[in-house]
Amino acid sequence: MELEELLEYLSEGKTLTAGTEAFDCMHRWSLETQRLTQELNTGVHDMEEIREYMCRITGRTIDKSFRMFLPFYTDFGKNIRIGRNVFINACCCFQDQGGISIGNGTLIGHRVVIATINHGLRPEERMDHHIAPVRVGRNVWIGSGSILLPGVTIGDGATVAAGAVVTKDVPEGAVVGGVPAKILRQPSA
């Protein structure tokens, strides 16, 4: 299976099961991504070099307005889409097999985790990867230590308070916080 076939498979939300062709393909690309993130995180790089690494990790063009503080971690890399004027702070972890899209003008704080995989609850299904995309809108602020779980959408202009665990969609312009995250402030009318 080639990368494009795998990305199509993942976009359909199909389960990744250990030992299958899709799982093996994902694992091969994950090993390449681990190598690239190790190189990225163990060197001293200017912003252009960081963008070049992110282009190689994601397989996509990264806009010159992109900024990121290292280290950065991702376990697959090929299913991340980053808009313009995005800032990602240090120590973020992206588990992107299900797809992560980050809209223009978004700020992501320290130690944010974006997860797109869940596992089967039964012990014999623990190696199964149930995937769902995470979509972050435009001009979003995700506070330090937040966790975005599989399948959530963060609406344009929303704010996720530090330490929040987001398990449900966040409306445009809302402020959410807590574990699990709840709406703290509705968008202005």
Side-chain angles (χ1 to χ4, degrees):
M1 177 178 274
E2 298 298 322
L3 178 60
E4 291 306 316
E5 292 173 279
L6 175 61
L7 291 172
E8 178 64 29
Y9 182 93
L10 295 172
S11 74
E12 295 171 3
K14 295 180 179 176
T15 298
L16 279 169
T17 302
T20 64
E21 185 180 13
F23 188 92
D24 292 345
C25 181
M26 181 270 301
H27 193 261
R28 282 193 311 275
W29 283 102
S30 294
L31 291 174
E32 171 64 12
T33 297
Q34 287 176 30
R35 184 185 65 75
L36 288 170
T37 55
Q38 285 292 336
E39 288 177 17
L40 174 65
N41 291 330
T42 57
V44 177
H45 307 288
D46 63 28
M47 207 50 63
E48 182 60 31
E49 292 168 326
I50 291 171
R51 279 192 300 278
E52 288 172 11
Y53 267 102
M54 288 303 288
C55 289
R56 291 171 59 200
I57 288 168
T58 65
R60 293 178 170 81
T61 300
I62 303 293
D63 191 79
K64 290 193 180 296
S65 62
F66 172 75
R67 300 284 183 266
M68 183 168 67
F69 289 167
L70 300 175
F72 171 78
Y73 305 97
T74 184
D75 58 357
F76 179 59
K78 301 303 182 208
N79 216 355
I80 301 172
R81 291 168 179 80
I82 301 171
R84 295 181 311 279
N85 296 309
V86 168
F87 173 72
I88 300 173
N89 218 323
C91 300
C92 289
C93 298
F94 289 9
Q95 182 190 52
D96 65 289
Q97 285 85 339
I100 296 172
S101 61
I102 301 168
N104 297 339
T106 290
L107 304 174
I108 299 177
H110 287 91
R111 298 190 182 280
V112 168
V113 173
I114 302 178
T116 67
I117 294 177
N118 210 338
H119 295 277
L121 291 176
R122 296 182 16 213
E124 62 273 15
E125 296 174 353
R126 293 273 162 78
M127 291 302 292
D128 291 349
H129 292 64
H130 304 289
I131 62 172
V134 172
R135 295 176 180 94
V136 178
R138 296 182 312 272
N139 301 310
V140 171
W141 178 18
I142 302 173
S144 296
S146 297
I147 300 171
L148 310 182
L149 293 180
V152 302
T153 296
I154 312 297
D156 293 345
T159 301
V160 176
V165 176
V166 181
T167 62
K168 297 179 183 172
D169 291 352
V170 176
E172 287 187 22
V175 176
V176 299
V179 180
K182 304 252 187 272
I183 294 177
L184 303 175
R185 188 171 72 209
Q186 293 284 354
S188 302

